[in-house]
Amino acid sequence: MDNPEYEKISKKKPTYPIQSFFSQYLSKYDRNALIPVFYDDLLRFSGAIEVYNENGEDTLWVRVYYPEHERTTIDRDLKKVYSILHGDGSDTSVPFLNIDAVDYCTFGNSKPFRIKVRNILNDNYTYMYVKKADASRVYGLELEHLLSPNRINFLVYKETLIEDHISGIPGDTFIEAGLDAYSIRTQKQIAKEYVKFNERCIVRLLGDMRAYNYVIVPTHDFDQVRYRIRAIDFDQQCYEGRLRVYMPQFLKENNQYVEMVHNNLRPESIEQYQQEERSTIAKRILLGKKRIQELINCMLQDRISSDDKIDQLKNDLFIYTKDVAFKKCKCMGEILETAFRYVIRHYQDVNGLKNIKD
């Protein structure tokens, strides 16, 4: 794992619509739902103020306000959306919910709304996000659900995407707190997780995993705290042409994590963890073969990147893997399908397993 030079991300990525065949897939697996409020509805705010963090720094989010005659309807509809996302969609929980805040972010491609929902019975609160539905982002969410250790809760209806909040410490905030403050044992554990996270991104072609696009999730075990790394932004799923954009190790915002890996893990350990993660992904692909193939079939029909990026990525992958099958790919769906087949073949060869027909 090295980073002799850093990669740059495209400044502006186009939004790709949800095609009918992909919508049918989402309906089949209960990702489509009739919701009472749309992304464009939330754009009708009449005013906003900046949101600052506890240190008085601008968060790049603004808290928006709506005309009085619209606020009641928007609050009611957002509570209903929360009920659909987290329950059976009935109105039984709605009277016990309150919409504490609606925040809007103009930073990045998705320009999301962040909704703070509070249970008035116990004062517990959580967040959900309302975004413009983008095909590459939805493919990324579904692949994360199927191929990572994490489950993802989201809904799509027409041009609106509802995402559940993913809890954790933002990767850049975790860095600012000081990695050196953690014990050597903890640093080694985080380094191991970072290697595996890096490998997951490469295999499933999830790009732009800069430090603020993933979170560190501490889990208290009976005698220690374990850390996991979770992606929280899926905007750059199968879009960029340069392979190294899909390798977090080559993004300058991750430099301190890469240094931690080098300082705490031997090369043979890094290779071991990479192999473990590839094998785990291969097993998940084989276990979820039917649904994953249905998702790939949608991507084979879809257009979620440009021809020049497709050509560059397939050539980069050919150089990286020496697998000539990449050079024959004509779309991002074919590239991802070929990457999955490559990982499965490697897993089966290493373990002496008989090849399973596609």
Side-chain angles (χ1 to χ4, degrees):
M1 177 176 282
D2 55 12
N3 54 357
E5 57 181 279
Y6 301 115
E7 286 297 331
K8 295 181 179 180
I9 312 296
S10 298
K11 291 184 178 180
K12 182 62 179 176
K13 172 188 168 293
T15 297
Y16 293 97
I18 306 291
Q19 303 290 350
S20 58
F21 48 81
F22 191 23
S23 183
Q24 291 173 8
Y25 167 92
L26 294 170
S27 295
K28 179 177 179 179
Y29 291 104
D30 297 321
R31 297 299 198 184
N32 260 334
L34 182 64
I35 57 176
V37 66
F38 298 96
Y39 178 88
D40 288 347
D41 294 331
L42 298 184
L43 290 173
R44 298 199 304 266
F45 52 86
S46 57
I49 60 172
E50 289 83 2
V51 176
Y52 298 94
N53 64 19
E54 58 186 12
N55 298 319
E57 300 166 333
D58 190 350
T59 63
L60 303 179
W61 290 83
V62 294
R63 186 146 298 165
V64 302
Y65 299 94
Y66 297 89
E68 192 64 33
H69 67 280
E70 289 199 30
R71 178 72 199 206
T72 301
T73 301
I74 287 175
D75 276 14
R76 181 198 64 211
D77 290 345
L78 288 174
K79 293 175 190 177
K80 180 68 173 178
V81 169
Y82 179 87
S83 176
I84 296 170
L85 184 65
H86 287 280
D88 58 6
S90 68
D91 293 333
T92 55
S93 63
V94 170
F96 309 114
L97 301 175
N98 190 69
I99 304 301
D100 279 5
V102 178
D103 297 335
Y104 178 59
C105 183
T106 58
F107 177 73
N109 288 311
S110 61
K111 294 182 171 56
F113 285 92
R114 180 178 63 196
I115 317 300
K116 183 177 180 180
V117 185
R118 178 170 56 89
N119 186 315
I120 63 176
L121 297 178
N122 53 33
D123 259 0
N124 285 333
Y125 65 87
T126 187
Y127 297 93
M128 64 180 181
Y129 298 84
V130 181
K131 301 179 180 180
K132 200 80 171 176
D134 172 60
S136 54
R137 179 178 295 109
V138 178
Y139 282 123
L141 287 163
E142 188 70 357
L143 285 166
E144 177 76 2
H145 181 77
L146 296 172
L147 296 181
S148 82
N150 314 300
R151 303 282 71 82
I152 295 287
N153 189 16
F154 69 93
L155 296 172
V156 180
Y157 184 63
K158 294 186 177 181
E159 297 179 351
T160 298
L161 168 65
I162 310 295
E163 285 184 36
D164 197 9
H165 177 64
I166 298 174
S167 299
I169 306 168
D172 53 343
T173 302
F174 197 81
I175 290 175
E176 291 170 4
L179 296 176
D180 292 339
Y182 294 93
S183 68
I184 296 299
R185 179 181 180 182
T186 297
Q187 289 189 45
K188 288 182 177 180
Q189 198 264 321
I190 297 172
K192 170 185 174 181
E193 289 301 314
Y194 192 82
V195 171
K196 292 194 170 190
F197 174 70
N198 191 79
E199 201 65 22
R200 281 201 299 278
C201 294
I202 298 170
V203 172
R204 46 80 63 92
L205 298 178
L206 175 62
D208 192 17
M209 281 298 104
R210 287 175 281 188
Y212 48 77
N213 286 332
Y214 55 84
V215 294
I216 311 297
V217 184
T219 302
H220 290 262
D221 204 349
F222 70 95
D223 62 346
Q224 62 182 316
V225 179
R226 292 193 171 274
Y227 296 85
R228 292 186 299 116
I229 302 177
R230 293 191 62 176
I232 59 172
D233 192 313
F234 304 90
D235 182 61
Q236 294 275 350
Q237 176 67 53
C238 293
Y239 172 72
E240 291 286 0
R242 299 180 303 280
L243 175 60
R244 297 209 299 187
V245 171
Y246 301 101
M247 300 176 172
Q249 70 195 77
F250 289 111
L251 304 177
K252 64 180 181 180
E253 292 83 357
N254 299 327
N255 187 48
Q256 291 189 50
Y257 287 105
V258 176
E259 288 182 359
M260 183 174 60
V261 170
H262 286 311
N263 292 338
N264 290 280
L265 298 180
R266 299 170 64 175
E268 52 267 35
S269 293
I270 294 174
E271 185 176 351
Q272 174 196 341
Y273 297 143
Q274 290 171 329
Q275 177 58 43
E276 285 179 3
E277 192 60 27
R278 286 194 295 268
S279 297
T280 298
I281 293 173
K283 292 175 185 176
R284 291 191 180 114
I285 295 172
L286 292 171
L287 286 171
K289 185 176 180 181
K290 181 178 181 295
R291 180 167 174 176
I292 291 171
Q293 189 58 55
E294 289 180 25
L295 183 65
I296 291 292
N297 288 343
C298 291
M299 297 183 74
L300 292 174
Q301 303 175 67
D302 219 334
R303 180 177 178 82
I304 53 175
S305 191
S306 61
D307 290 340
D308 59 330
K309 291 183 186 297
I310 292 168
D311 289 340
Q312 182 177 8
L313 182 57
K314 70 182 187 182
N315 287 326
D316 281 2
L317 280 164
F318 167 69
I319 294 170
Y320 184 68
T321 65
K322 306 298 187 292
D323 187 344
V324 72
F326 283 108
K327 295 186 71 70
K328 302 175 183 178
C329 296
K330 298 178 180 178
C331 66
M332 283 295 183
E334 285 189 32
I335 293 175
L336 190 63
E337 183 177 43
T338 302
F340 287 173
R341 288 176 176 171
Y342 176 86
V343 169
I344 290 172
R345 277 202 313 274
H346 182 74
Y347 163 71
Q348 292 174 335
D349 289 344
V350 167
N351 291 278
L353 301 174
K354 181 180 180 181
N355 286 336
I356 300 175
K357 293 183 179 180
D358 294 330

